[in-house]
Structures are given as C-alpha cells and as structure tokens.
Amino acid sequence: MSISLSSLILLPIWISMAQIQQGGPDEKEKTTALKDLLSRIDLDELMKKDEPPLDFPDTLEGFEYAFNEKGQLRHIKTGEPFVFNYREDLHRWNQKRYEALGEIITKYVYELLEKDCNLKKISIPVDATESEPKSFIFMSEDALTNPQKLMVLIHGSGVVRAGQWARRLIINEDLDSGTQIPFIKRAMDEGYGVIVLNPNENYIEVEKPKIHVQSSSDSSDEPAEKRERKDKVSKETKKRRDFYEKYRNPQREKEMMQLYIRENGSPEEHAIYVWDHFIAQSAAENVFFVAHSYGGLAFVELMIQREADVKSKVTAVALTDSVHNVWHQEAGKTIREWMRENCCNWVSSSEPLDTSVESMLPDCPRVSAD
C-alpha cells in the first residue's frame, strides 16, 4: 500500500484531533482551532505535491507521436492512438500533458496552412507597433485580388486556433476531420480566394511582474524598537505565506497576466476587424462564409454591425452547429429575412443529410448534417 505525501502531511493533524477529542471540555478550544486549520487546507491543491513535474516536450517527436499518411496521430513505437490517461490517478497532470500536446498541434497546423495550402500569415492589427500584442490570420495569395469569389472560414470557441475545427478530432480521429484543410484545398481548387480567421487569439500571456514591498526599516523616523517589531511581524508573515505557497503552487507555475490585442479582444471584434481591413477591401464579387459553432454567432454580430456592407458582398453562409441567437443578439427584421434567404445551418442530427430540422428561431433554415 502506498501513502501519498499529502496524506503524510495531514496525518499529524488528524492524530492530534483524535487525541484532543478524547480529552475533556478544556480541549474544545484546541479542537476548534484545528478544525479551522483543516478548513483552510485546499486538499486538491495539496495533492499537487504528488505530481510529477509539469515538464513536457515541445515537439511531436518529443512526445513520441507523429501523423501517419492518413493524417492520424499515432505513437512512433507502438502505432497506438494517443492515450490521455498516461498516468493513473493524475488527472490534472494528464490534462496538462494533453494541453501541451495541443499547443504543438496548433503550431503544426499553422505550418500545414503555409506549406501545404500555400496561405500567407498576415499580422494584425495592420498598423501594430513593434512592441504591442499582435495576432494573425491566413490568406491565399489572391484573397484580395480574386475578382470572382472569396471563401471565409471561422471556427468556434475554446482552444482551437486558425485552421482548426476541433482539437479533439485532430488528436483522436485525423487531420481531415479536425482541421479546415480539406475545405481550404477544395475552395482553392474551385477558384476561390481564401481567408482563414483566428477569432480565439485575443490576447498574449506574459508573466506577472513581481511586486517589491518596501521594507519598513526604511522609515528612519520610527523608533528602532518599533521598526524591529514590525520587521519581525513582516518576516513571520512572509514565512507563513511562503509555506502556504509551497503547497498551493508546488510546481512553481508562473502567474500570468493577459494583454489583449487591440480591436481583436473577442471573436466578435476580430470578425469585424477582419471584415473592415480585408474582406470589405477584397475585389471578389461574391463572398462566402463557413462558420462553425461560436463562429456563427460572430457572423451574426458582424451582420448587425455592418448590415448594408455584408448584404452587398456576401452571397451565402454555411453555418455548422451555430450557436447564434437572433433574439439575444437583437438582430433586426431585415437581418432575419436576409438570413432566411442566404444562410443555412447544418446541425447534428440522426436524420439523413439535408433533412429539414425544426427550429425555434425565425432565422435561417436548419438541416441535418448526417
């Protein structure tokens, strides 16, 4: 039988409580104090002491995985699919490992967009200074000059980034299921210019600066005895804080802060920004959107903010499991009428493909995606 480090830490407290409870009424105060101490201990955080280091590879090869000729993620040595529960009873550690792999796959998909799809990575805001936070989108060479047609792709919310539909499908199924690459290649084969939005890249993360507290001993006009007392209290407070931090944050994970990207701080802002600076400037007579999940909500918000412009350039919109809501988003009657004529929402259903699915909302038709 193995005993975790967190159990060993708490064992003396439990023993003390048992001993005190056997005593008389004079021990009630001690019992109350110990109960208060236990209530302050975050057992979930304490269990982190038993974790292996959160130190993961930064390449697919380091994880010993690779995509095979079918675009499936497989272990280099065993040929097996990705295993989430790599370490039993360590869900947080397994989740961190999964997230680290996901970041590598995001970069891998970016490379495919540039190398396999021949898209260009375009930095935004277009007038960003060298020091400010930036994001990017991907465009085909003819995205702004193609006189006939332009395809715009918007993914959903969460961890996915440009070029992805679902990280889970990329890892557990294949690249064709989880990425936008098949859509991009077919669109380009059929003569479309292509723009791939990146609506979840809303901020960059930087480490929080450490706050330096000025020592009370700098107050030279205070009596020496008073300064010594304050310094002693300060040192004791710091000692307790460091002791608690040791167990609260045993892996010494960096505390991060978010710096939002100008005019791209949300998926909705991003869609409007890309419309104003790219799509609206394109030469294409016909613009087509494919928007998944939250991407559909972002498109409806774009329509609300740029109704006349969108109507003049957009020919059709294919939504997939869109989570837009014309009532909550306060889309007007003219927008709802346009959506009925120009949009279609393919939703998850057990019905045959393109079977009409009932909707409670008075906007675009809903049909089965299966």
Side-chain angles (χ1 to χ4, degrees):
M1 184 180 78
S2 62
I3 300 176
S4 68
L5 180 58
S6 55
S7 297
L8 288 174
I9 293 166
L10 292 176
L11 188 58
I13 300 175
W14 289 327
I15 293 172
S16 296
M17 283 196 67
Q19 291 172 340
I20 289 171
Q21 286 170 349
Q22 292 172 2
D26 293 342
E27 303 295 336
K28 283 185 178 180
E29 188 176 339
K30 292 181 181 178
T31 305
T32 303
L34 279 173
K35 284 182 177 179
D36 180 63
L37 174 60
L38 281 173
S39 71
R40 293 169 184 267
I41 295 174
D42 188 332
L43 292 179
D44 288 336
E45 294 290 345
L46 197 59
M47 288 298 288
K48 295 177 186 177
K49 290 296 294 179
D50 296 333
E51 287 182 334
L54 298 176
D55 186 17
F56 303 107
D58 56 6
T59 64
L60 277 178
E61 294 76 13
F63 270 94
E64 297 188 327
Y65 281 94
F67 286 99
N68 62 20
E69 66 280 358
K70 295 180 180 179
Q72 301 165 323
L73 188 68
R74 293 292 182 265
H75 195 277
I76 293 171
K77 295 178 181 176
T78 67
E80 294 296 314
F82 177 76
V83 176
F84 178 86
N85 289 315
Y86 188 74
R87 301 241 181 160
E88 290 295 330
D89 302 321
L90 287 174
H91 179 80
R92 178 177 176 272
W93 187 89
N94 288 327
Q95 180 64 33
K96 292 288 186 180
R97 173 175 174 265
Y98 179 82
E99 291 170 5
L101 176 65
E103 291 301 312
I104 295 169
I105 286 175
T106 291
K107 293 175 184 176
Y108 182 81
V109 172
Y110 289 160
E111 291 176 7
L112 292 179
L113 294 181
E114 292 187 284
K115 294 177 181 177
D116 284 14
C117 301
N118 297 314
L119 300 184
K120 296 191 300 179
K121 189 177 183 180
I122 307 297
S123 181
I124 55 175
V126 293
D127 59 346
T129 63
E130 191 172 333
S131 60
E132 75 172 294
K134 304 175 192 65
S135 180
F136 50 86
I137 60 173
F138 289 90
M139 299 198 314
S140 63
E141 195 74 41
D142 67 338
L144 302 184
T145 58
N146 188 315
Q148 296 180 323
K149 46 193 180 180
L150 172 67
M151 180 74 72
V152 181
L153 302 176
I154 316 178
H155 59 61
S157 60
V159 296
V160 290
R161 295 293 185 269
Q164 301 180 44
W165 293 128
R167 177 186 287 182
R168 178 183 57 81
L169 291 179
I170 296 172
I171 293 175
N172 297 325
E173 298 295 332
D174 53 44
L175 289 166
D176 279 357
S177 300
T179 74
Q180 299 172 349
I181 290 172
F183 289 76
I184 295 166
K185 287 185 174 180
R186 180 169 176 180
M188 295 177 78
D189 287 344
E190 296 187 9
Y192 287 80
V194 174
I195 295 180
V196 177
L197 272 64
N198 200 11
N200 294 335
E201 193 82 12
N202 308 127
Y203 56 81
I204 62 170
E205 286 193 327
V206 297
E207 190 173 359
K208 277 187 178 180
K210 289 183 172 59
I211 300 174
H212 298 285
V213 180
Q214 187 177 15
S215 173
S216 60
S217 58
D218 292 342
S219 305
S220 56
D221 55 341
E222 284 186 341
E225 186 179 343
K226 185 176 181 181
R227 285 204 309 270
E228 287 175 8
R229 280 200 308 272
K230 288 177 69 176
D231 285 346
K232 184 177 179 181
V233 171
S234 178
K235 287 176 183 177
E236 288 297 320
T237 302
K238 183 179 184 303
K239 186 177 178 181
R240 287 195 299 271
R241 185 173 63 245
D242 290 346
F243 179 82
Y244 172 70
E245 179 65 17
K246 177 181 176 183
Y247 293 101
R248 189 192 70 82
N249 194 5
Q251 301 273 15
R252 292 296 178 187
E253 295 175 68
K254 295 177 181 178
E255 292 195 40
M256 310 298 286
M257 60 186 294
Q258 298 171 348
L259 300 179
Y260 279 83
I261 296 162
R262 175 165 53 88
E263 297 181 77
N264 287 269
S266 69
E268 296 91 326
E269 277 191 6
H270 176 77
I272 293 168
Y273 186 89
V274 176
W275 175 273
D276 289 345
H277 291 84
F278 298 95
I279 304 169
Q281 311 301 324
S282 68
E285 186 176 342
N286 299 289
V287 176
F288 301 84
F289 275 78
V290 179
H292 176 62
S293 188
Y294 201 89
L297 185 150
F299 174 79
V300 171
E301 188 62 29
L302 170 64
M303 274 218 73
I304 293 169
Q305 300 297 327
R306 302 288 187 271
E307 181 177 354
D309 293 340
V310 169
K311 286 180 177 179
S312 69
K313 286 190 75 74
V314 177
T315 301
V317 181
L319 304 172
T320 58
D321 282 324
S322 175
V323 298
H324 73 275
N325 187 305
V326 291
W327 294 137
H328 292 166
Q329 293 182 259
E330 299 182 356
K333 181 182 178 182
T334 54
I335 290 176
R336 299 196 301 272
E337 290 174 347
W338 186 90
M339 290 182 67
R340 277 196 290 272
E341 295 295 322
N342 298 278
C343 301
C344 184
N345 188 13
W346 278 266
V347 298
S348 299
S349 170
S350 59
E351 297 294 325
L353 179 65
D354 289 337
T355 302
S356 180
V357 177
E358 187 177 352
S359 173
M360 299 294 291
L361 297 173
D363 49 30
C364 58
R366 286 159 51 97
V367 297
S368 172
D370 296 317

